[in-house]
Amino acid sequence: MGSLKLSLEAGAPKRLELTWGLFWKNFEVRFDGRPIGSAPDAAALKAGVEFRLPDGSALQVKLKQTLSVLRDGVPVPGSDGDPEQQMRSAGNLLYFLAALNGVLGVLGMVLTNDVLEQLGMGFGAVLFGAMLGVLGVFTHRRTRWAPAVAIGLYVLDSLLTFIDAAEAGTRPTGGLLMRAFIIFTLYRAFKASGTPAPSAQGGPGVSPQM
């Protein structure tokens, strides 16, 4: 089971609720607790479904890599396509990576551990974590250069990891997949940084009486 509560406008109450079962079955949309539409399964969501909100605006839902929720073609605030949400997600990811590198780096400096040594955890990891933390702050502030710099760092880190693995005769598949996810998340934030937030784009409101 899954659920998602959203506001139609930034800062407004979360009156829109999406719920679904295992493998996206029995997808339902409710507004103020009242059902306004449903979809039977993932196939229907991948094709895209549209529901009419009480104010007459159209709510478009489509399952891509993630769930896209649009209102009259504009991402709903807090949904996956919302530029603000994408920036927050990237910033939070950078905070997590900063903390992870910092903790492992400190452990690498104070402990004698072969695994940490092989991973290169030490002062360099602490410094890298500090850089990621700063980039996380500026990503949250919607600065365009912060996710771009973070992408550059992880692309470079991935190339160096691949070269080291090739010289050692190993395949760092898992590590590269994780880096690919990080770079993808940062790239979405970079694109979002140049896009106005839904609240700034305007659009019809839903009156409290509806």
Side-chain angles (χ1 to χ4, degrees), residues 172-190:
T173 306
L176 290 179
L177 288 176
M178 178 59 68
R179 286 176 172 81
F181 167 75
I182 293 170
I183 292 170
F184 173 72
T185 303
L186 293 172
Y187 175 70
R188 293 181 70 203
F190 174 73

Side-chain angles (χ1 to χ4, degrees), residues 88-112:
R88 282 195 298 268
S89 296
N92 291 339
L93 177 61
L94 288 172
Y95 286 152
F96 170 77
L97 294 170
L100 182 63
N101 278 273
V103 170
L104 292 179
V106 171
L107 290 176
M109 289 190 293
V110 300
L111 299 177
T112 302

